[in-house]
């Protein structure tokens, strides 16, 4: 007697699977319905126009398709190789990128070339484009601003003391072959935090208290002190005059500037040697910490997008990746607001 099986074959199985995915809830479909990718593609084309070959040949993939691929790559922290594989393997990815019926999909080299062509300017255009869509929906900066920074790790470099000395002086060991040089990140730096050494870069952000949207960003190497980015990410457009930051940011000059310009100083105090904080100052720090902690939710959300570890070499590409982190976080935030029916006020 022939054994029975639950496996049934059907020429239209793919269509059944698509309907099942829609019924279960495809998160990419939510992004598709709430984000204007055509507008984002136009922003990228403005700062990095598509190349036109006078000799003909295969035309490039549409910018909108490539922008969608970059968003997927950042949301799930995929390498170029994995991005190519997932585009071939995943039905939802192909549908999201408009490649469901395409004979060919962008390969790893195409993704890498597009990233390098648009560069930091293209990533900033995407960040600004998402910010503009948030503003059009009424999600302006409200409730005060929170400034903080996070370390973004890069692959650790194992160099000898002699090699480190040469690198610090802007030189490069003569015995390094070209292939090895391309794999050495000479821009990332070391720093210590809570007694632990970290190697990589730093992302400073300004988040508004009301919506936890990243309003401004600044990128740098890990050894740069957090406070040096305060002025670069300060947002004078927030509807509230409250400015929140942790104990790494206070200074007499900064406090005087905030007071002179009508801002309320909500920066935590820091004790000094032989001059600990008073009980009143400690209570003030605790009160501020309850609000300032909202920025940690942002960093945690970025961490959940496959982690913050960079897969790139050099500061230019690191800046691109960190800007994309911020852009994709804001994109997810906008989708959440629209899906949950949250209206700006």
């Amino acid at each position: 007697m022939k054994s029975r099986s639950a496996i049934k074959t059907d020429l239209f199985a793919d269509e059944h699977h698509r309907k099942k995915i829609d019924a279960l809830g495809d998160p990419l479909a939510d992004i598709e319905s709430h984000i204007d990718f055509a507008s984002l593609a136009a922003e990228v084309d403005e700062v990095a126009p598509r190349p036109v070959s006078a000799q003909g040949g295969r035309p490039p993939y549409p910018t909108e398709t490539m922008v969608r691929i970059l968003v997927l790559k950042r949301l799930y922290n995929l390498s170029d190789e994995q991005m190519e594989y997932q585009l071939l393997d995943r039905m939802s990815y192909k549908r999201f990128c408009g490649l469901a019926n395409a004979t060919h999909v962008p390969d790893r080299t195409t993704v890498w070339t597009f990233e390098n062509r648009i560069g930091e300017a293209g990533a900033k255009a995407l960040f600004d484009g998402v910010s503009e869509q948030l503003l059009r929906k009424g999600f302006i900066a409200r409730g005060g601003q929170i400034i903080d920074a996070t370390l973004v790790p890069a692959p650790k470099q194992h160099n000898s003391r002699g090699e480190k000395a040469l690198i610090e002086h802007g030189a490069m060991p003569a015995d390094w072959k070209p292939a090895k040089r391309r794999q050495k990140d000479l821009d990332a730096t070391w720093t210590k935090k809570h007694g632990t050494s970290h190697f990589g870069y730093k992302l400073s952000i300004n988040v508004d208290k009301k919506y936890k949207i990243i309003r401004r960003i600044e990128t740098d190497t890990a050894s740069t002190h957090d406070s040096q980015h305060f002025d670069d990410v300060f947002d004078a457009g927030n509807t509230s005059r409250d400015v929140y930051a942790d104990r790494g940011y206070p200074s007499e000059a900064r406090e005087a500037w905030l007071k002179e310009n009508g801002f309320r100083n909500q920066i935590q105090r820091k004790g000094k040697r032989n001059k600990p904080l008073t009980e009143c100052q400690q209570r003030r720090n605790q009160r501020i910490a309850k609000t300032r902690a909202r920025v940690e939710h942002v960093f945690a959300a970025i961490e959940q997008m496959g982690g913050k570890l960079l897969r790139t070499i050099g500061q230019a590409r690191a800046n691109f990746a960190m800007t994309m982190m911020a852009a994709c976080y804001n994109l997810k935030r906008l989708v959440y607001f629209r899906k949950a029916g949250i209206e700006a006020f």
Side-chain angles (χ1 to χ4, degrees), residues 63-328:
T63 302
E64 182 177 342
T65 296
M66 299 307 299
V67 166
R68 288 169 179 262
I69 289 173
L70 292 189
V71 168
L72 282 178
K73 182 181 172 184
R74 187 63 261 167
L75 285 177
Y76 301 103
N77 197 15
L78 300 173
S79 65
D80 293 338
E81 291 79 5
Q82 270 297 306
M83 190 68 250
E84 178 185 358
Y85 175 81
Q86 296 296 344
L87 282 174
L88 290 168
D89 183 64
R90 287 204 176 192
M91 181 190 305
S92 59
Y93 280 27
K94 285 187 283 190
R95 184 170 63 172
F96 177 74
C97 296
L99 299 168
N101 298 315
T103 305
H104 303 286
V105 303
D107 60 16
R108 65 195 73 181
T109 304
T110 302
V111 176
W112 183 88
T113 301
F114 182 77
E115 281 191 359
N116 282 273
R117 180 173 70 78
I118 67 174
E120 294 179 55
K124 187 63 166 58
L126 287 174
F127 176 81
D128 292 340
V130 176
S131 298
E132 178 62 27
Q133 292 189 33
L134 281 159
L135 292 177
R136 287 204 302 266
K137 300 297 183 183
F139 295 103
I140 64 175
R142 295 180 180 274
Q145 56 189 299
I146 311 171
I147 296 173
D148 204 357
T150 186
L151 292 169
V152 180
K156 293 183 176 65
Q157 304 292 299
H158 301 284
N159 302 319
S160 66
R161 289 186 178 181
E163 290 172 338
K164 290 179 182 178
L166 286 172
I167 293 170
E168 289 175 358
H169 288 84
M172 191 178 295
D175 60 342
W176 281 6
K177 296 180 179 179
K180 184 174 183 178
R181 293 180 184 181
R182 288 193 294 268
Q183 297 302 315
K184 288 293 185 179
D185 193 336
L186 305 182
D187 298 327
T189 57
W190 287 92
T191 190
K192 275 199 172 184
K193 185 175 183 179
H194 305 310
T196 303
S197 296
H198 300 269
F199 181 79
Y201 296 89
K202 180 165 290 183
L203 173 64
S204 294
I205 64 173
N206 181 309
V207 176
D208 70 306
K209 175 187 172 185
K210 175 68 177 177
Y211 299 117
K212 292 194 292 189
I213 295 170
I214 300 175
R215 301 296 175 174
R216 302 190 66 176
I217 63 171
E218 185 67 26
T219 57
D220 214 323
T221 58
S223 59
T224 304
H225 196 274
D226 296 0
S227 63
Q228 293 187 27
H229 292 160
F230 184 92
D231 295 336
D232 296 322
V233 299
F234 190 86
D235 181 16
N238 197 294
T239 60
S240 172
R241 310 301 283 176
D242 290 316
V243 181
Y244 297 85
D246 64 22
R247 289 172 289 184
Y249 290 88
S251 71
E252 293 182 2
R254 182 160 293 141
E255 291 180 13
W257 184 87
L258 290 172
K259 184 177 181 181
E260 180 181 347
N261 288 274
F263 292 97
R264 287 187 288 273
N265 180 9
Q266 306 286 1
I267 302 176
Q268 292 179 312
R269 306 291 186 191
K270 185 177 181 180
K272 299 179 181 179
R273 182 176 295 180
N274 300 323
K275 193 177 180 181
L277 296 177
T278 64
E279 290 186 6
C280 180
Q281 290 174 324
Q282 291 178 10
R283 288 196 300 271
R284 178 180 180 273
N285 278 1
Q286 292 174 356
R287 174 179 58 80
I288 292 173
K290 293 179 180 179
T291 299
R292 196 206 66 79
R294 290 176 68 79
V295 74
E296 301 299 341
H297 304 164
V298 177
F299 292 140
I302 292 176
E303 182 71 36
Q304 288 175 350
M305 295 189 315
K308 292 185 292 185
L309 177 67
L310 297 176
R311 300 176 182 273
T312 57
I313 301 294
Q315 185 161 5
R317 292 177 181 171
N319 290 348
F320 176 92
M322 290 187 284
T323 304
M324 286 300 299
M325 287 181 192
C328 289

Side-chain angles (χ1 to χ4, degrees), residues 6-20:
I7 299 176
K8 304 295 181 183
T9 58
D10 191 333
L11 293 175
F12 302 99
D14 283 348
E15 183 62 28
H16 296 320
H17 295 166
R18 290 192 192 96
K19 291 180 180 179
K20 186 66 173 181

